[in-house]
Amino acid sequence: MSSSASAETSEARELSLVGKVELRIALTDSDGKLESILTTYLAPLLLKLTSEHMSVRNKERLDLLPTLLHGIASNAQESATHAAILFNLLLRLLYHLTLPARGSAEDAGMRSKLGFNEVPQDADFVAKWLGKLILLTSSRSGSKICAGLSAEDYDFLHAHGKADPWIPSQPGGINIIETKVAAARFLASGAFLDSQRFLPGLFASADPNSRISDIGDDILKRAMPTVSLEDGDLIAQLFQIYLGTGGPHGSLSARVPLQLKILALLSKSKRATTFVPQVTQVVGEGLTTTEVLGQSSRIGLEAPAKHGLEASKLRSQIFVFTNWLARVGSPTDVEALAPTLIHRLRMYIEGQGWPQSNDDVSRTELDSRNYGYEAVGLLARAAPKGVLLEPNLDLFRWLFSSLSGDASGKDISISIEQALGSVLGAFTGELHVDLQIALKNLLLHHMGLEIGKSDASGIKVVRSARFAAVRFANRCLPYNDTTARWIDLLAIGGGPMERNEVTEEGRKGLDPYWYRMMNPLQDGSLFLAEKSNAAKYQIPSFTNIMKEFFANKDGSGKGQQSRIELFRGRLAHAYSPAVLYCRNVLLHQALNSVYVSPTVDVQWERSIDAMVTNDEDARGKLREYLSTLITTDPEGRQSLASYLYAAFVGMVEGIGGENNRSGECLVEVASLCPDSALDGLVREIARLQIPILATQYARRHTSSQIFGLLASHKNCPPDNVRSLLDVFEGKIQKWSQAVGSEVFQVHGSILAKAFYLSRLSHRGGRQNTVADTGQSFTRIILNILSDARDKMLREASVEAINQLSLFAVLVPGAIPHPHTSTSLVDKLKAVAEKGDERAILAMGHFAMLCDEGDAPDSDLQRILRSLYELHKIRQPEVQFAVGSALSCTAVGWRSKSLISALDVEGPMPKTSPRTHVLRDMLGKILDDCKTTKPALRQASVIWLLCLVQYCGHLSEIQSHLRKCQAAFKGFLADRDSLNQESASRGLTIVYEKGDRELKDDLIRDLVGSFTGTGTGFAGNVSEETELFEPGALPIGEGSVTTYKDIMSLASEVGDPSLVYRFMSLASNNAIWSSRAAFGRFGLSNILSDSSVDGYLAQNSKLYPALFRYRFDPNTNVRSSMNDIWAALVKDSTATIDLHFDNIMEELLKSILGKEWRVRQASCAAIADLVQGRSLEKYEKYLNQIWTLTFKVCDDIKDSVRTAAMALARALTGLLTRSLEAGDSSARNAEAMLKNVLPFLLSPSGLESSAQEVQTFALSTLLQIIKSSKGHTLRPFVPDLVGRLLGLLSSLEPQAVNYIHMNADKYGMTAQQIDDVRLTSVRGSPMMEAIDRCLDFLDDATMKELGRTLEDAIKAAVGLPSKVGCSRVLVTLSTRHNFIFKAHADNFLRLLRKQVIDRNDTVSSSYAAACGYLARLATDEELLKLIAFCKKLYFDSDDDRPRAVAGDIIYATSKHATDRFASFAGDILPFVFIAKHDAYERAKELFQDTWNENVGGSRAVLLYLREIVQLASQYLESPRWSIKHTSALAVAETINSAGVEIDLPNAKIIWPVLDKALGGKTWEGKETVLKAFVKLARSTTMLKTEGKIADEMQVIAIRESKRNNPKYRQHALKCLGDFAELRDGVDMFPQVYRIVESVVDESLNDEGDMDIDSSSLEGASSKTIAEETLANAFGALLKSINPRAQSVPDLVTSLNRSFGILSKFVDSHDKSKTVQNAIYDGEKSLFGKLDALEQMPASVEEALIEYVKILFRQGDQAEQTRVKAADAAAAIADFSSKGMRLRMLLANEITRARAQERSISVQQSLDRTRRIIGS
């Protein structure tokens, strides 16, 4: 029969056997039958797994599976033992099962083939138990339970008590790790649904073995999209696995790694928050200490340990889960959980020590403490009613105490503040009165604590909680709560030492606008008009705030005094803010009651100032209110009195320093009060002396004005007034002698008396008593004005004249002699010509009292001429003062400029009657407006503006408004910007002053002047008119100006009325902001006044242009256009949506315009336009927007580039927000990516030549990648990864390369710089982006990425890109191994070409990647890699390739340990040889590889034959480094083989060792020679292998004859050791000849040794010479062998040796090294003499000579003397055989003993003497 037929018969027979066994197993119906069948057939059946026939193996592996699995679930219900045996058999089959490729047709058909489609319960059963198998671990204590499994589970997996199947060494045992790996792979196949393998995959992902966890991670990644974490059953299972089932037979909780995985899933499930008991247990156990866990664990069972890093990770994840719970849990569930969880968290924190943590708390525990505080805050916020808003505020108080007292770490305060911030919202609602009181008390308590002191509870304050307290006061208490406002004051009162944030928070709390900004209403609105009166926003009442700030609750004087004392102390800095705030509250309350309530906005205080200062009606209403308050409201009257007193005290005492504004507030309020309100202050008038005479100007001025108000009061005590006036008079009389501080006193005295006389005159009091004083005072101030040289005194004189003139005290006819009104005007004019505004106003006020007269020499005309002549002063402020003075001159007290000048109760002061002064003045100014003189033109337009503003209510002005308009319009063509702005503001005021008919006429006239159809006003303006001086408003190239833009805009719209309305655009000069009188008349009022909506609704041309102008680079244009837009457009969003396309098209056209400001504005406008709008609105423009944006990013002007980058950032923000959003935005995101990504990757993006464009394109890409979903970004991943890898190098700064090339200049090495570069690459955002891209891979994109990555590796230039490529390969090999496995071989082949790089870091990176790739590579490719490393090592002439080979091998052993172990026989012999390399880097790598993969030194014997064979091969290498390495490796095999080497192994080693010792000497050869001696000592070859022994002797003698001094010292040592080993051979003659020559050379040629020393490394020539001589003597003495020599030969040897020794004794008696060697040699020699049974006389004679010199070699070290004593002891026994020798030895010892000082030597000699004596 042929062999083929026989084979077929064998194959058929085996197939038949397998089929029969399958049938028998399938037909079993009881446990007993199954056990019997398996006992008989299991072993033979398993043997078929290794059958030589493929069909048999496949049938065994695949065909048996359906039989085993069919009905296994139902079997389990009938018999657990039966099912356990079948499951065990399944595991054995899985161990040998080869699964089809993932995704293949075979893989997809596995589920059907195994019958799982028909019986899904079987699949559920198998998946469940495979998951439990993965949880199975060996028990250390022998208990039948482990984490995650119950005792029943444990029994099932151990076949219910049968022999342990998990002990591989037992019959039928299998390896549990390999079985788990096979099970995990089976679960990952197509046999199971995602829902079935989810939990087992979860278990596998937490396994400590990376082979299992990698598969588990892949299963989870693929199963997660199909598994719902809102499935209640699944969540219940997760909690059960996490916690265990409890009970004596229940399962234990899972191990910590699995708990971490489960917690991560639970932290994504809203349903998990509903499992209240389980959540409580999870958090409770996670925060419980290890000791407590140990006490509560079941006795005898293994509870998973939670300590160290694992416990920290678990706690961190628990805090994440707690965060999730608090954010997404239902209120009901969180309220149920919060009390218990917060209690546990507090216990955890307090268990570490509270408020200060204990000293033994670790850094990690402190981090957990931080998380604990944060978790408390989150839970309390989510369920405030039960744990936070309780009467005692216990938790809230605890958090505040923690903030002030916990100093556990530098970050602890951040966490506590975050916790307090979390609970802040719980207090923002309407609180119960008791809660409010408790909250306020707590906040006040912490506002008063001081750092370093202890509070009432004994907690030492280490940190201020003032900021948190102020923050809570501002957020949680209504604005009208006076305690909250007091807390704000306490914050402001902290002074310079207080943190800025605390002070700022206090200031915000006092400002109602910022309070409303910080506290929006429940519907999210801030302070809409209809909601501005919400209870939460109510301004506190003046009475209540005064009680809180300056008195007790009952308003008693005692309380008032106590609070002021507090302000005088540590709250001094809060005094002025307190007074100012009370003033604002009072005035707001008053205006709100009787007039128009001030708008609560960012300018709230300024609005009050403007109304009080400039609104005549408002001031009148305020006077009425305050008068009514005093007469009808006793409590209000008391509060007002308290306020006036507080302001008075602040002014008088200067509380708070130079920033004190109490005086200003007092003057302002007192000037509005009736006289009766000042009754309380007049009694304090004496206290004004100090501030009036103070050194601060503002304090003197306000105090003087208050003195005038109080001293002129009818109830003011005359004596007090007289006393003060006397003091002031005394100061004034000495004005001419005043110097230094005296000048200040004179200044204050003059002002005080001037204010007093003027107010007294108006009130009409005590005229008869002060008349003379008034005249005298007037004379003095006029004298000072004439003669004083001190500027301050002249200023006081002018101010006095001003005040006296205002109130008709200084009249032209009553000027004291020798002064006259003419001289007075001349003197004031002289001062005014210097730019003194006070003097100008003084002339105007004095003119109010002059009679109207047309005579040129009249006082009035003289003053007018003087004022007109001041036009020469080119200072705008001066001209405004002139304008105010002219208005007073013309109409007196009817001028609006004097609205706030009247500060006492009573009627308006009298003014000389006027009939034509204003008319004449207006005519002159209008004429002057036409002049060509620049100074006069500017002055005229400002004067005209002042007249229109201050006198516009009078008929003289009303009748000339059209002329005023014409005059103003004429200045629009002026080249002076101030003239244009003044005219523009004037036009606005003219429009305001007219009625509707006049307004229409003015518009018609104005438009006519511009269109050329009107009456032809002077100074017509066209669109091309150059309105500003070049450079005055640099908003464009050449002479492009603001008004050209306005005209263009109006022309586009075609609305004539708009032209007029736009005239105020240039009114933004800083000068206007300081003049509140002009602030009330804004553009918006004008625009709102004119009905233009109907026209604009039909003309859309306005919107594109106006929209762009809103973003103009020029602040003036931008601000004005925003005002226009706000006035014209009622609903901005609706208007923009309606005209969106027109606006966008216009902007895209203008973004590349010629003017830079247009381009810049277009960028900003587009950015604003697309924000907040749906993609559908602008999708069709998106590609064009990106293209134009990147073009402008390379604009020639920097500001345009900046705007373009801002637009690009805005577009990126839109895209990333869409990408981060949920499914609702998925379509938008995909659409945007399709437009944006190709563009970013194009030459317009990453490949742009513009650095800014390239950088931003990269930044945009990184944000896109970070924000994208997998399915959105996946198509772009291959290209993105390739591009980003290339950019790693191209974007590296060029300076890095320069530093790398010149590293030595900077005190660094190139490697150090490379290390930094490597770290930078690993941590770079681009690598993070690449890693994220790789997470999105699937099989299809992996193929494309393979091609892209290969190209990137080949094209990579520069370290960053190459290192990045290697990192990508590592990531793919570890995190994406399933989809990457098919590509591993290809990349491993590619890296073999790339790994040799001129940069060591790059080579190491690629080598590491090779190690990771080895995990996935096929056996064939791995063998090629090993062969490549060997070739690289043995065939390279340089050192670096050998190091690279070491890198690859080490990386493979480290990262692919299992694969390395499977090829250990091929790799480790090579590693063993290479670890002896002379190149240190290569040596370290191979050494580490060997040490990490081999246990114990004797492991070398496992690979002895391979090592020796490889070494023998390369001992013949032409490369000396390889030869030497191989030789050293051979030596190491001997040194590592142990004390004894058996003969077979020795025979294997000897031929190679012989070869290694051949040839000349080389550095390190002595190591081989020493190994040669060890081999001789460790084996029996010297005794049993004569030929080898003779060869070894020849080698020993040959090597000792080498001439290399450094090597010869070792060779002689080895010669002596070898000679000593040869008991039966006399080597003395050969050794003697060698030693004799060495000794002669040493003694006679010392100079030569010194000369040669320069070429020797390491030891000096003297040391080498001594070692050589010492080893020579040692070898000589060791070669004397009494056992192998006859007596004559022995005597001859002794004598000849002694002869050589004598030469040394005579010449080198000081060499310690040689002496020690001689004594050691003698000791060895004397010990061998015991072989002689008798002592021949000749031998005795020879030995006597040795004894004679034992102790006579001169001064010796103690160690040498000890050796001499030891040598004597060695011959002591033998000396008993010769009397003479014995006696001589005894005498020598006695003599030496007598001279010896060392105790140890004495003891040794005594022992020798006893031996001789016995």
Side-chain angles (χ1 to χ4, degrees), residues 1308-1346:
M1308 303 177 69
T1309 64
Q1311 186 58 48
Q1312 288 176 322
I1313 297 174
D1314 282 344
D1315 290 343
V1316 175
R1317 297 170 75 188
L1318 180 62
T1319 303
S1320 176
V1321 170
R1322 288 175 175 170
S1324 71
M1326 279 192 286
M1327 280 310 304
E1328 292 180 10
I1330 290 172
D1331 288 343
R1332 181 166 175 80
C1333 286
L1334 297 180
D1335 289 339
F1336 299 148
L1337 288 173
D1338 57 13
D1339 292 330
T1341 49
M1342 183 63 240
K1343 293 178 182 178
E1344 182 63 27
L1345 177 64

Side-chain angles (χ1 to χ4, degrees), residues 1209-1267:
R1209 283 192 292 272
L1211 294 172
T1212 302
L1214 288 174
L1215 177 57
T1216 52
R1217 284 192 292 274
S1218 297
L1219 294 171
E1220 291 170 351
D1223 295 336
S1224 61
S1225 298
R1227 190 189 65 79
N1228 289 347
E1230 291 178 10
M1232 294 178 76
L1233 278 183
K1234 288 177 182 177
N1235 285 287
V1236 174
L1237 277 183
F1239 171 75
L1240 293 176
L1241 298 175
S1242 70
S1244 298
L1246 286 176
E1247 298 178 6
S1248 172
S1249 59
Q1251 183 67 31
E1252 294 87 351
V1253 174
Q1254 189 182 62
T1255 301
F1256 187 79
L1258 175 62
S1259 174
T1260 303
L1261 268 181
L1262 296 181
Q1263 292 186 50
I1264 289 174
I1265 292 170
K1266 182 179 180 180
S1267 306

Side-chain angles (χ1 to χ4, degrees), residues 245 349 394 509 670 738 830 942 967 1072 1082 1190 1209 1527 1615:
T245 56
I349 293 172
D394 178 66
I942 292 176
W1072 306 108
F1190 275 27
R1209 283 192 292 272
L1615 176 62

Side-chain angles (χ1 to χ4, degrees), residues 654-931:
I655 301 175
E658 296 182 357
N659 296 325
N660 189 304
R661 294 181 58 187
S662 300
E664 298 175 24
C665 296
L666 178 60
V667 167
E668 189 173 49
V669 176
S671 65
L672 298 172
C673 291
D675 288 349
S676 58
L678 304 179
D679 289 345
L681 291 183
V682 295
R683 294 189 295 271
E684 305 286 337
I685 193 171
R687 301 176 64 183
L688 288 174
Q689 178 177 340
I690 294 176
I692 289 175
L693 303 180
T695 57
Q696 297 90 2
Y697 174 83
R699 194 176 173 198
R700 290 198 305 273
H701 193 280
T702 55
S703 300
S704 299
Q705 188 170 357
I706 291 298
F707 175 77
L709 296 179
L710 298 181
S712 61
H713 193 280
K714 62 181 180 179
N715 294 330
C716 185
D719 294 341
N720 292 347
V721 175
R722 186 69 265 169
S723 176
L724 288 175
L725 288 176
D726 290 343
V727 173
F728 300 150
E729 185 68 25
K731 302 289 184 182
I732 295 172
Q733 292 296 334
K734 299 179 181 178
W735 69 267
S736 59
Q737 293 88 27
V739 292
S741 61
E742 295 176 351
V743 174
F744 297 142
Q745 296 177 2
V746 174
H747 177 273
S749 299
I750 292 174
L751 292 182
K753 195 165 184 179
F755 278 111
Y756 165 67
L757 292 174
S758 59
R759 273 58 178 179
L760 181 66
S761 172
H762 181 69
R763 281 176 164 157
R766 298 191 294 277
Q767 292 281 359
N768 55 342
T769 61
V770 297
D772 294 336
T773 301
Q775 285 292 315
S776 173
F777 176 69
T778 304
R779 183 178 294 104
I780 291 176
I781 61 174
L782 292 177
N783 291 338
I784 293 174
L785 181 63
S786 301
D787 304 331
R789 296 183 180 181
D790 190 284
K791 181 179 178 181
M792 186 173 294
L793 293 180
R794 289 200 302 271
E795 288 180 359
S797 172
V798 170
E799 182 64 22
I801 294 171
N802 194 352
Q803 295 299 324
L804 294 176
S805 299
L806 266 178
F807 291 91
V809 176
L810 181 63
V811 294
I815 296 177
H817 183 77
H819 304 284
T820 64
S821 59
T822 302
S823 64
L824 172 61
V825 172
D826 291 342
K827 292 172 184 176
L828 289 176
K829 178 183 177 183
V831 177
E833 287 176 344
K834 299 178 182 179
D836 192 312
E837 298 177 31
R838 296 183 185 85
I840 296 171
L841 293 174
M843 281 197 292
H845 296 162
F846 181 70
M848 293 166 57
L849 305 175
C850 297
D851 295 333
E852 186 176 37
D854 297 330
D857 59 346
S858 67
D859 292 337
L860 180 61
Q861 293 300 323
R862 187 178 294 106
I863 292 174
L864 284 173
R865 284 197 303 273
S866 300
L867 291 175
Y868 290 146
E869 290 173 2
L870 294 177
H871 73 269
K872 300 176 184 178
I873 303 175
R874 298 296 296 268
Q875 297 176 20
E877 289 290 350
V878 171
Q879 299 308 324
F880 277 106
V882 173
S884 179
L886 288 173
S887 70
C888 294
T889 301
V891 299
W893 277 94
R894 292 185 297 165
S895 172
K896 297 293 185 182
S897 65
L898 298 177
I899 288 177
S900 60
L902 183 60
D903 54 7
V904 292
E905 186 178 13
M908 191 74 68
K910 297 181 180 180
T911 305
S912 294
R914 299 281 190 266
T915 58
H916 57 80
V917 174
L918 178 58
R919 184 182 68 249
D920 296 344
M921 184 183 294
L922 180 60
K924 175 179 173 24
I925 292 175
L926 288 174
D927 291 339
D928 289 342
C929 285
K930 303 174 183 178
T931 185

